[in-house]
């Protein structure tokens, strides 16, 4: 899954977590900027909301922070797929390695 697909998956399937994490990252990045945005223009609140480059950085960092959530969900899905009905036994932590 590439970065854009991962972002879209998080937005659609984990929207509350995505929204809250993205808001935190947005505020952190906004506070780190001095007078100018990463694109070189004056960093106003309205500009940051509409700046493609700034929002791309925010989305990428948000996806990076939620990577652990995604891997946990993938492990859970694999464990449910390997249920006792399909394999005749219960999955263990060795099955996930």
């Amino acid at each position: 899954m590439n970065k854009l697909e991962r972002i879209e998956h998080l937005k659609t399937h984990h929207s509350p977590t995505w929204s809250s994490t993205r808001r935190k990252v947005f505020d952190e990045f906004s506070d780190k900027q001095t007078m100018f945005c990463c694109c070189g223009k004056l960093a106003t609140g309205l500009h940051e909301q509409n700046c493609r480059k700034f929002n791309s950085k925010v989305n990428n960092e948000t996806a990076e922070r939620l990577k652990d959530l995604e891997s946990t969900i993938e492990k859970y899905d694999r464990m449910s797929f390997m249920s006792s009905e399909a394999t005749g036994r219960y999955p263990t932590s060795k099955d996930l390695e």
Side-chain angles (χ1 to χ4, degrees):
M1 190 181 304
N2 68 25
K3 193 180 297 186
L4 293 175
E5 290 172 343
R6 191 168 67 235
I7 289 171
E8 190 61 35
H9 174 77
L10 289 167
K11 282 181 180 179
T12 56
H13 297 291
H14 308 288
S15 57
T17 308
W18 170 265
S19 298
S20 63
T21 306
R22 189 182 189 288
R23 190 76 197 134
K24 289 176 191 172
V25 172
F26 185 93
D27 290 339
E28 287 174 17
F29 279 18
S30 180
D31 292 341
K32 283 182 187 176
Q33 292 189 138
T34 56
M35 191 170 179
F36 295 99
C37 181
C38 56
C39 70
K41 295 186 178 176
L42 190 61
T44 63
L46 180 61
H47 173 76
E48 288 174 345
Q49 290 176 354
N50 297 317
C51 180
R52 191 177 341 161
K53 192 171 186 179
F54 180 78
N55 282 296
S56 177
K57 284 178 67 173
V58 170
N59 285 344
N60 290 338
E61 179 63 24
T62 305
E64 196 63 36
R65 290 186 186 184
L66 294 177
K67 198 176 232 180
D68 294 335
L69 168 72
E70 194 173 323
S71 64
T72 303
I73 290 169
E74 287 175 6
K75 286 181 182 177
Y76 177 77
D77 288 344
R78 277 192 274 152
M79 284 184 76
S80 63
F81 175 73
M82 297 182 297
S83 68
S84 61
E85 295 172 3
T87 61
R89 62 183 180 82
Y90 289 101
T92 63
S93 58
K94 290 181 181 179
D95 293 328
L96 296 176
E97 296 173 349

